[in-house]
Structure formats: C-alpha cells, structure tokens
C-alpha cells in the first residue's frame, strides 16, 4: 500500500466520485484539485467549467483564481459571465457543482461569508461569488472540506449557500428542484444525505479512522449508516498524478513570481 497523507486521501476520494460524462462546475482550491485528478485519471472526457466562463478547460496547473489565464488558454471556448450563469448554470445544463467552504452544518449548508457576527465578524471571508447559484442550479452538489470542529459546526454564523436547509423537504419548499448536496468528502470520511431527514451521515470511513475521531472533529452528533464501508486507499497512480499536479503548479507559480 502506498503511503499517503489524509489530505491526499480526501482529494482522491473526491475525484473518484466524478464520471467521464459529467459536466462539472468547479470551485477554486480543493474542488479544482479533485476535478483535475479525475480528468487526468479515470475521467479524461469530463467537462470542467469555471465561474469566469471557461468551458471544457483542461488546465495543466491548478489555477490561482477563476481569472487565471491558464483556464482561458486551455478552454474549448470562453463565454461571458452573464451567459455562463443565465444560460449554462441557471439553464440546468450543469450536472455537478463542486464546492468547499469555511463552515458546514449537518444539512450541508455552507458559509463562505463571515466567521462571527455579520456586523462585527472575527474573520471576513471571500464571500459567496457564484456558490449560492451553483448550490441551487447544478443537478447535484459535491462538497470537499477538511474535517474539524471549527468548520463542522452545529450552527452556521452565516448561510451563504443552501444545502438541505433544515432537512426533510425544506429545500423543495423553497422552490429548488435540484438534488442539493449528495456527497461530502472530508479527510476522515464520506458523508451522504439520509434519504428522509437529509442529514449528512457517514457512509464510508477512510483507512485507520475511527468513529471517535470523526465525532471529535464534528460540532454536531454524527450519525452513521447501518453499514459503513471502508474507503479504498489511494493507488500509486492516483498519488503520482495528484503529486505531480501540485509539483507542476508550484513550479509554474514560482517561475511567474
């Protein structure tokens, strides 16, 4: 078995959830890493779309932001941001939205706005950007986040992007017809929504992780599926692809500095 870090397990587990025929709206950071690992391994024909309007982009290195020239240079085409949102995203043409966040609750609602009170926050975060629209307009949502009590909270300081709102059919009652979060990938486990309550429950634990560890790093009482699987560890090929992607990115950014 190859040696790997928890963060690598998280990224690779997230990448495995994507399919070759997916059309995926990609967030910057961990979502971008996971989507590009998928493209470079088992899903070479996946269509990656970034918020800046780049369609079917195939970056050689990970972009620093949605405005990184690497995305436009390697895209099939680039459209305007209004077209991206009105026609592609809100038109229901994107299957998977891949997001991260600073805080998440048990119904997979996300906060990327502030930590602490809105008027006097401890930390002011980058904000929603396109995430609120992605969360409601993509067919389904994958979320990737490192797990810890600072981020996995019982109550969000601010709801930037809705997940399953307050559970049950509360998302549908708001008039949102898409599935919402179907998968939450962390450095400890995989979560999926309970079919009825829509609370995110553990369905797979990464190798060597215990239920106690998962609970210790979560701000709510964690529920586990009746049958919890063990996540397959990364293969040597997956690790090599991920590490080389990060190495190329580091070299490219060092040369540009």
């Amino acid at each position: 078995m190859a040696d790997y870090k928890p963060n690598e397990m998280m990224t690779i587990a997230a990448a495995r959830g994507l399919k070759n025929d997916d059309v995926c709206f990609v967030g910057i950071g961990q979502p971008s890493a996971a989507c590009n690992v998928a493209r470079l391994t088992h899903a070479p024909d996946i269509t990656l779309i970034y918020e800046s309007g780049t369609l079917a982009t195939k970056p050689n290195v990970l972009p620093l932001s949605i405005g990184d020239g690497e995305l436009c240079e390697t895209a099939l085409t680039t459209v305007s941001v209004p077209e991206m949102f009105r026609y592609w995203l809100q038109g229901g043409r994107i299957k998977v939205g891949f997001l991260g966040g600073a805080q998440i609750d048990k119904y997979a609602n996300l906060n990327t706005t502030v930590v602490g009170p809105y008027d006097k926050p401890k930390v002011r975060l980058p904000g929603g950007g396109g995430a609120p629209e992605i969360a409601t307009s993509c067919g389904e949502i994958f979320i990737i986040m490192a797990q810890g009590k600072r981020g996995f909270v019982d109550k969000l300081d601010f709801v930037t992007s809705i997940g399953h709102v307050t559970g049950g059919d509360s998302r549908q009652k708001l008039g949102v017809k898409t599935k919402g979060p179907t998968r939450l990938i962390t450095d400890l486990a995989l979560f999926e929504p309970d079919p009825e309550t829509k609370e995110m429950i553990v369905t797979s634990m990464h190798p060597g992780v215990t239920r106690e560890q998962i609970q210790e790093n979560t701000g709510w009482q964690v529920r586990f599926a009746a049958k919890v699987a063990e996540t397959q560890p990364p293969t040597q090929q997956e690790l090599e692809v991920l590490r080389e992607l990060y190495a190329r990115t580091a070299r490219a950014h060092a040369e540009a500095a």
Side-chain angles (χ1 to χ4, degrees):
M1 184 187 300
D3 290 330
Y4 58 88
K5 298 176 181 178
N7 200 49
E8 293 174 325
M9 176 77 262
M10 173 173 65
T11 304
I12 290 168
R16 289 172 179 167
L18 295 167
K19 301 180 181 66
N20 195 49
D21 61 352
D22 279 344
V23 177
C24 186
F25 206 119
V26 189
I28 294 298
Q30 285 283 1
S32 186
C35 291
N36 280 287
V37 167
R39 180 178 63 83
L40 294 168
T41 52
H42 66 278
D45 297 323
I46 190 171
T47 301
L48 301 185
I49 297 176
Y50 286 76
E51 189 177 329
S52 50
T54 52
L55 303 179
T57 187
K58 298 180 179 180
N60 186 52
V61 300
L62 295 174
L64 290 170
S65 72
I66 60 168
D68 197 314
E70 176 73 15
L71 294 175
C72 190
E73 289 169 8
T74 60
L76 178 65
T77 189
T78 301
V79 300
S80 68
V81 172
E83 179 181 330
M84 165 58 61
F85 278 85
R86 184 67 190 96
Y87 180 80
W88 294 97
L89 181 59
Q90 294 171 331
R93 293 172 171 84
I94 300 176
K95 182 178 177 183
V96 180
F98 220 124
L99 297 174
Q103 290 182 333
I104 189 170
D105 66 15
K106 67 181 179 180
Y107 295 117
N109 301 298
L110 292 170
N111 173 20
T112 55
T113 303
V114 292
V115 175
Y118 184 79
D119 53 347
K120 291 185 178 180
K122 296 177 182 177
V123 180
R124 188 168 291 283
L125 300 165
E133 289 80 10
I134 294 168
T136 55
S137 297
C138 291
E140 61 182 308
I141 300 296
F142 291 178
I143 300 169
I144 181 170
M145 289 178 61
Q147 194 164 346
K149 281 193 173 179
R150 289 179 64 184
F152 282 60
V153 297
D154 186 52
K155 182 176 174 56
L156 298 182
D157 291 329
F158 188 94
V159 179
T160 310
S161 307
I162 64 167
H164 296 292
V165 194
T166 57
D169 62 353
S170 57
R171 181 181 172 93
Q172 288 71 32
K173 284 182 176 179
L174 293 176
V176 182
K177 298 178 181 179
T178 51
K179 292 180 181 178
T182 57
R183 186 170 302 201
L184 165 61
I185 308 100
T186 81
D187 49 350
L188 300 177
L190 301 179
F191 294 70
E192 295 177 14
D194 178 273
E196 302 212 357
T197 69
K198 300 301 181 182
E199 179 179 338
M200 302 305 285
I201 63 174
V202 176
T203 57
S204 181
M205 300 193 302
H206 301 335
V209 173
T210 66
R211 295 189 178 211
E212 289 73 23
Q213 278 180 279
I214 293 171
Q215 184 59 69
E216 287 168 2
N217 285 279
T218 310
W220 66 83
Q221 187 62 44
V222 178
R223 290 179 53 207
F224 294 82
K227 291 185 178 181
V228 178
E230 181 176 89
T231 313
Q232 288 296 313
T235 65
Q236 190 63 44
Q237 182 208 13
E238 289 170 329
L239 284 172
E240 287 174 358
V241 168
L242 175 61
R243 290 169 180 174
E244 176 54 28
L245 177 61
Y246 275 120
R248 283 200 306 275
T249 301
R251 289 194 298 268
H253 293 165
E255 290 169 3

